[in-house]
Amino acid sequence: MSRAGGRTAVLVLMMLLAGCGPVGDPTVAGPAAVPVSPSASPEAAGTPVRKAPRIRYPERGGGRFRTAAAQRPAPPRGTVLRYRVQVEKDITGVSTAGFAAAVQRTLEDPRGWSAGGVRQLRRVGPGDRYDFTIFLVTPRTRDELCQDVPDGYTSCRNGARVVLNVARWAHGVPHYRAPLAVYRQYMVNHEVGHRLGHGHERCPGRGEPAPVMQQQTLGLHGCTANPWPYRDGERYAGRPGSYDDEVPSS
């Protein structure tokens, strides 16, 4: 061995004895060896964060639908109304099962239309007998199903059709001042309320909760957002009437 090679070998031996190791040695403390706290965020842990997919839809869909499966059977109570859920096939970013689950949670909430056990709203599946259908549709399919003044903006109830506009489901309305999830609850309860025979109501006073049958999509008119027909176990209603003389009906 040459004198230079001998010096190199001695230097390597001294480094190993001093505890130095090659890059990537698990005994070496460094950023890669620092344990991640259980409370650290997924980003800090290097775990990809799954974001809710963006809801996408054309202005005019093809009028073909996916039907949600029936919910698990439950003992009947009160008057049972059966509804099916259909989502237009052109809509992506929201699954039929996911939309149906959101509708079911809203309708079965203790503050919803099933309050007090007077009625039960039960979701049925393809081929089952039903009393009405809750649709999630594109704006122009909304106009075709509602058969009213076409606006591509609002939702509606037309006979046994409860028609929810995906544009509102995806984006809400700018003046609502409440989370999108709250507005979606309002959409469901307002249009199903029409199917149950309830007409429009007006804001009872500035600063008061809006009745669910108020046209909250078109404005709160001094009231605050409220998606529920029952408050403190009692039916909450406002003054009869609508804002049809001010803005188009919803």
Side-chain angles (χ1 to χ4, degrees):
M1 180 182 294
S2 67
R3 183 176 298 177
R7 285 198 298 268
T8 300
V10 171
L11 181 60
V12 169
L13 178 61
M14 291 176 65
M15 291 174 64
L16 291 174
L17 291 174
C20 297
V23 175
D25 191 320
T27 64
V28 180
V34 177
V36 177
S37 169
S39 61
S41 67
E43 293 91 338
T47 303
V49 178
R50 290 189 64 185
K51 295 183 178 180
R54 181 180 176 185
I55 298 176
R56 297 181 181 274
Y57 54 90
E59 186 71 9
R60 183 183 299 277
R64 297 174 299 119
F65 303 94
R66 299 183 297 266
T67 304
Q71 70 184 84
R72 188 172 300 174
R77 66 180 188 278
T79 301
V80 177
L81 287 176
R82 297 168 176 82
Y83 68 93
R84 65 176 180 173
V85 169
Q86 293 194 322
V87 176
E88 196 165 9
K89 289 184 176 181
D90 307 84
I91 298 170
T92 61
V94 54
S95 68
T96 304
F99 174 68
V103 169
Q104 182 180 333
R105 284 194 300 269
T106 298
L107 295 179
E108 292 183 350
D109 190 281
R111 298 161 291 179
W113 290 115
S114 297
V118 175
R119 67 176 62 87
Q120 182 185 68
L121 296 165
R122 180 186 300 170
R123 190 179 80 238
V124 297
D128 294 335
R129 183 171 63 86
Y130 60 91
D131 298 298
F132 64 99
T133 302
I134 299 177
F135 293 93
L136 183 68
V137 300
T138 57
R140 294 307 162 195
T141 299
R142 171 258 179 241
D143 292 344
E144 293 171 7
L145 293 180
C146 293
Q147 298 179 345
D148 58 1
V149 178
D151 62 20
Y153 185 83
T154 59
S155 301
C156 80
R157 193 275 304 192
N158 179 19
R161 301 169 180 169
V162 171
V163 183
L164 303 185
N165 189 335
V166 69
R168 304 282 65 75
W169 189 264
H171 306 296
V173 288
H175 60 265
Y176 202 62
R177 298 177 185 171
L180 180 58
V182 175
Y183 178 77
R184 289 173 174 175
Q185 292 165 337
Y186 157 75
M187 287 178 68
V188 173
N189 279 325
H190 181 90
E191 302 305 342
V192 170
H194 282 314
R195 174 61 183 84
L196 298 177
H198 298 281
H200 284 141
E201 298 167 1
R202 297 176 70 93
C203 173
R206 182 167 295 276
E208 297 293 327
V212 76
M213 296 313 300
Q214 180 179 327
Q215 296 163 287
Q216 296 180 39
T217 294
L218 302 177
L220 293 175
H221 300 273
C223 273
T224 59
N226 168 49
W228 304 112
Y230 283 79
R231 295 176 60 84
D232 300 321
E234 296 184 358
R235 173 80 171 93
Y236 178 73
R239 294 176 292 152
S242 69
Y243 297 96
D244 292 348
D245 55 337
E246 303 173 20
V247 284
S249 176
S250 69

